[in-house]
């Protein structure tokens, strides 16, 4: 991680653990918002008006949080006006690295070797982990935001005048319900699989796995329409999809969330396939990066050997 803008010691997957060995994820620290007119958003400072070609999104295809911003960008038709840079899927001793792998990019702005250099540029005193996604303002050369939940919401509304869209991922009339369901899905499922994978005690693992499957069972029971809130796709579906699509190929084996696979849940499987079929979504799922990336986490898989399958996921992605 970075300490006062300087990289300190080799990258470790466990960010922080509590006294019971539970994995704790770092809180994001750049929280400005792009808005239609540049006024300040719910957090941070103003001065980031929506403009075509001004902002760049840095992502890793392996990362579910980065992937939800990629999905929002695709579904809202923002691909032409918000360029993307993809890091190398293999985690290094200095965290995310640029280039050197099929489908990953060099840093086109500063030629950085590692993501942490971008953070040090944004804040020479930055202390913390250099995470993706990052939304960068190429005009002012500052980091706008590194919290995917915020980025998805600004993509939903800020560019409305430049690229009108009928899709609303966070509609006013569902806001309350979305805000109630999101944190539960985050805690038990999105971050729950990581809590299982990076648990440092049996009790922490057991607790996390219970949560993962309780949430999958709940979602399977809840899915009567096409999406979690009936016939309208919302940001909650994006948050759910990114975990489901990684589940059988990565979490089930590497993170030991192996009581069942998504393939064992008929409704969740159909739901995942339905979302995968939406315009632009398939292009946000790079299974080669996903499996390469997860199975390169040395603390969990010292040999770096990547398993072959699973066949049903490969078949699904072939379409
Ligand atoms: N709160 C962040 C979390 C992002 C996050 O944890 N990203 C992980 C990859 S999935 C990361 O970049 N980790 C790098 C590290 O831990 O050094 C968000 O939702 O945007």
């Amino acid at each position: 991680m970075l300490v006062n803008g300087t990289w300190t010691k080799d990258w470790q997957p466990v960010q922080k653990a509590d006294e019971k060995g539970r994995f704790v994820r770092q809180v994001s620290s750049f929280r400005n918002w792009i808005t239609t007119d540049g006024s300040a958003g719910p957090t941070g400072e103003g001065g980031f008006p929506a403009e075509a070609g001004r902002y760049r999104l840095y992502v890793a295809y392996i990362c579910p949080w980065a992937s939800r911003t990629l999905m929002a960008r695709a579904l809202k038709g923002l691909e032409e006006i918000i360029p993307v840079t993809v890091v190398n899927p293999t985690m290094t001793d200095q965290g995310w690295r640029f280039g050197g792998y099929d489908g990953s990019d060099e840093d086109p702005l500063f030629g950085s070797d590692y993501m942490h250099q971008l953070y040090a540029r944004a804040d020479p005193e930055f202390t913390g982990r250099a995470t993706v996604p990052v939304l960068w303002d190429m005009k002012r050369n500052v980091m706008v935001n590194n919290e995917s939940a915020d980025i998805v919401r600004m993509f939903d509304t800020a560019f409305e005048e430049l690229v009108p869209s009928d899709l609303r991922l966070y509609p006013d009339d569902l806001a309350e319900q979305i805000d109630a369901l999101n944190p539960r899905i985050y805690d038990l499922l999105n971050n729950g699989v990581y809590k299982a994978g990076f648990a440092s005690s049996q009790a922490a693992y057991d607790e996390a796995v219970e949560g993962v499957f309780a949430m999958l069972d709940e979602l399977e029971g809840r899915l009567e329409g096409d999406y979690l809130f009936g016939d309208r796709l919302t940001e909650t579906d994006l948050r759910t999809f990114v975990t489901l699509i990684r589940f059988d190929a990565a979490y089930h084996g590497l993170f030991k969330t192996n009581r069942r696979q998504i393939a064992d849940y008929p409704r969740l499987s159909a739901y995942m396939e339905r979302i995968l079929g939406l315009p632009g979504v398939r292009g946000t799922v790079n299974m080669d990066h996903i499996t390469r990336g997860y199975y390169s986490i040395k603390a969990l898989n010292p040999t770096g050997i990547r398993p072959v399958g699973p066949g049903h996921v490969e078949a699904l992605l072939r379409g």
Side-chain angles (χ1 to χ4, degrees):
M1 63 180 270
L2 284 170
V3 177
N4 298 325
T6 305
W7 188 263
T8 49
K9 61 178 186 333
D10 288 355
W11 184 85
Q12 295 297 331
V14 176
Q15 320 196 326
K16 215 165 123 196
D18 69 8
E19 73 290 351
K20 294 210 165 119
R22 299 188 188 105
F23 165 83
V24 179
R25 188 172 293 274
Q26 171 180 291
V27 174
S28 304
S29 37
F30 295 85
R31 305 297 293 271
N32 308 306
W33 289 63
I34 301 172
T35 55
T36 25
D37 57 0
S39 57
T43 51
E45 293 166 11
F48 302 100
E51 277 174 36
R54 173 166 171 172
Y55 303 97
R56 176 170 295 273
L57 184 64
Y58 286 86
V59 299
Y61 281 131
I62 143 172
C63 174
W65 284 273
S67 294
R68 62 195 195 188
T69 66
L70 275 180
M71 287 178 78
R73 169 177 171 269
L75 289 162
K76 295 291 293 189
L78 303 176
E79 282 150 314
E80 297 293 312
I81 67 168
I82 302 175
V84 161
T85 298
V86 179
V87 298
N88 188 308
T90 309
M91 203 23 112
T92 74
D93 287 342
Q94 292 196 53
W96 298 118
R97 187 161 61 91
F98 290 99
Y101 190 86
D102 198 23
S104 68
D105 304 310
E106 301 295 339
D107 173 14
L109 299 183
F110 311 109
S112 321
D113 295 317
Y114 296 98
M115 181 52 83
H116 69 74
Q117 294 165 326
L118 202 68
Y119 274 76
R121 195 175 279 275
D123 174 3
E125 294 302 313
F126 183 77
T127 294
R129 303 174 71 92
T131 57
V132 288
V134 162
L135 189 59
W136 187 269
D137 179 351
M138 296 189 278
K139 204 168 194 176
R140 289 175 54 187
N141 266 336
V142 293
M143 197 180 291
V144 181
N145 196 301
N146 70 338
E147 170 52 51
S148 62
D150 296 353
I151 297 172
V152 167
R153 286 203 183 160
M154 57 186 102
F155 285 1
D156 195 29
T157 53
F159 295 88
E160 203 59 46
E161 285 169 15
L162 293 172
V163 185
S165 161
D166 290 336
L167 175 69
R168 187 42 66 89
L169 293 168
Y170 184 61
D172 290 343
D173 63 316
L174 290 178
E176 209 173 307
Q177 294 176 63
I178 288 174
D179 287 338
L181 188 55
N182 280 350
R184 296 188 55 245
I185 293 181
Y186 174 86
D187 185 46
L188 296 174
L189 184 62
N190 304 135
N191 204 37
V193 292
Y194 281 81
K195 288 198 277 187
F198 294 133
S200 46
S201 71
Q202 183 71 45
Y205 164 80
D206 291 344
E207 179 184 84
V209 168
E210 282 310 315
V212 166
F213 288 95
M215 182 47 77
L216 288 176
D217 292 347
E218 177 180 329
L219 295 176
E220 176 77 6
R222 179 189 173 110
L223 266 173
E224 282 173 353
D226 281 354
Y227 303 111
L228 290 170
F229 292 102
D231 58 1
R232 278 186 289 172
L233 179 83
T234 69
E235 60 169 44
T236 312
D237 298 302
L238 273 52
R239 287 164 168 252
T240 306
F241 173 82
V242 293
T243 298
L244 297 184
I245 198 73
R246 286 163 179 71
F247 199 95
D248 293 359
Y251 305 147
H252 183 269
L254 188 74
F255 285 176
K256 310 185 191 86
T257 52
N258 62 355
R259 183 174 286 147
R260 302 180 84 187
Q261 304 190 81
I262 301 307
D264 300 324
Y265 289 94
R267 284 176 173 178
L268 284 176
S269 296
Y271 167 74
M272 187 173 77
E273 203 167 339
R274 186 174 307 123
I275 295 176
L276 185 65
L278 295 173
V281 171
R282 200 170 282 266
T284 70
V285 180
N286 185 323
M287 202 43 80
D288 175 53
H289 278 228
I290 291 172
T291 54
R292 170 70 64 201
Y294 279 106
Y295 281 97
S296 76
I297 301 175
K298 280 193 210 143
L300 299 181
N301 188 34
T303 62
I305 293 171
R306 169 164 65 157
V308 287
H312 67 272
V313 175
E314 286 167 1
L316 176 72
L317 290 166
R318 273 198 303 272

